[in-house]
Amino acid sequence: ETGVTQTPRHLVMGMTNKKSLKCEQHLGHNAMYWYKQSAKKPLELMFVYNFKEQTENNSVPSRFSPECPNSSHLFLHLHTLQPEDSALYLCASSSTRGETQYFGPGTRLLVL
Amino acid sequence: AQKVTQAQTEISVVEKEDVTLDCVYETRDTTYYLFWYKQPPSGELVFLIRRNSFDEQNEISGRYSWNFQKSTSSFNFTITASQVVDSAVYFCAPYYGNNRLAFGKGNQVVVIP
């Protein structure tokens, strides 16, 4: 595997389900990011991790819970989501903060 | 929030034509970075180019070129001799620090064969 990978690529879940999105970067980077891309809206930064420590939470509802066990892996735990949470969730990484961010293919989430 | 404007929502060109995408940004910073990303229908954001705000030299990389004008806060991007594979959404994204890439709404480019 190379670059940034994300699983699953597609996810359909009910509002009472719990699921997790996984991101893995194979670039030796130290910073990882979660973004949300809704239809017809600009990309929104959700969370930033730098050397496994969360450095930014962009006022994201608590039904989204990130986890960064090491510099290569980033998870987004989902529970009791709303239909308006349906979106493309993109993971990115960079060598350090401020450097070029490289993105994964995204997870298309549909909440029913 | 610092604003990024990509005024052209959708641009259609015939294959082999050139296409220029406009980006105007607002900033109070004197030092920053500027990026262009491409998002094909598959969804992945692909990094294209990065410029530093203190380097206004314009460059060409293959079929891509860019025109950075710090005095007018513009960072325009040109695809020369467009191909069908260039059909995608293109995002201008200044980086102002504090981890934030400020994405614009994007330009949908449609290349017609």
Side-chain angles (χ1 to χ4, degrees):
Chain A
E1 294 276 20
T2 59
V4 181
T5 57
Q6 289 186 244
T7 55
R9 295 293 308 277
H10 302 270
L11 179 61
V12 180
M13 59 186 290
M15 289 190 285
T16 58
N17 293 157
K18 290 184 180 181
K19 296 287 184 183
S20 296
L21 309 185
K22 178 183 176 183
C23 174
E24 184 173 0
Q25 57 94 2
H26 310 267
L27 301 168
H29 289 166
N30 296 305
M32 297 188 76
Y33 312 77
W34 278 117
Y35 287 85
K36 175 184 178 182
Q37 187 178 31
S38 305
K40 303 190 179 188
K41 290 178 70 175
L43 275 84
E44 303 170 61
L45 178 65
M46 300 175 71
F47 301 104
V48 181
Y49 278 82
N50 196 38
F51 292 94
K52 303 188 298 178
E53 298 297 320
Q54 186 179 127
T55 57
E56 184 149 353
N57 177 337
N58 194 23
S59 302
V60 180
S62 59
R63 57 186 184 271
F64 295 90
S65 175
E67 179 190 1
C68 188
N70 54 60
S71 292
S72 298
H73 294 86
L74 185 64
F75 296 89
L76 188 62
H77 303 299
L78 316 171
H79 63 97
T80 59
L81 294 192
Q82 304 298 311
E84 59 265 28
D85 296 322
S86 299
L88 177 67
Y89 289 85
L90 289 158
C91 174
S93 71
S94 63
S95 56
T96 59
R97 292 184 300 172
E99 294 299 317
T100 300
Q101 294 182 24
Y102 293 90
F103 286 79
T107 296
R108 291 193 185 274
L109 173 67
L110 177 62
V111 181
L112 300 175
Chain B
Q2 302 192 73
K3 188 177 172 184
V4 181
T5 302
Q6 294 181 253
Q8 311 135 298
T9 305
E10 181 168 326
I11 306 163
S12 293
V13 296
V14 176
E15 198 171 19
K16 297 184 183 177
E17 290 182 342
D18 298 347
V19 55
T20 295
L21 308 179
D22 299 329
C23 173
V24 177
Y25 56 92
E26 297 176 0
T27 182
R28 294 176 291 276
D29 295 352
T30 55
T31 302
Y32 48 90
Y33 298 106
L34 297 162
F35 294 84
W36 276 96
Y37 283 87
K38 170 185 178 180
Q39 188 175 38
S42 60
E44 180 176 356
L45 275 166
V46 179
F47 163 70
L48 297 177
I49 56 174
R50 162 187 159 139
R51 298 300 298 171
N52 299 324
S53 59
F54 47 84
D55 180 2
E56 291 196 61
Q57 181 177 358
N58 295 311
E59 293 183 17
I60 298 172
S61 175
R63 294 187 298 109
Y64 299 150
S65 62
W66 47 94
N67 185 344
F68 172 43
Q69 299 284 338
K70 191 171 184 179
S71 60
T72 57
S73 297
S74 67
F75 185 43
N76 299 336
F77 177 70
T78 297
I79 305 170
T80 303
S82 60
Q83 300 174 2
V84 173
V85 294
D86 296 326
S87 296
V89 181
Y90 289 81
F91 291 96
C92 174
Y95 179 88
Y96 300 118
N98 200 27
N99 307 308
R100 289 182 175 271
L101 276 172
F103 284 93
K105 291 186 178 179
N107 301 120
Q108 172 76 60
V109 172
V110 178
V111 181
I112 303 165

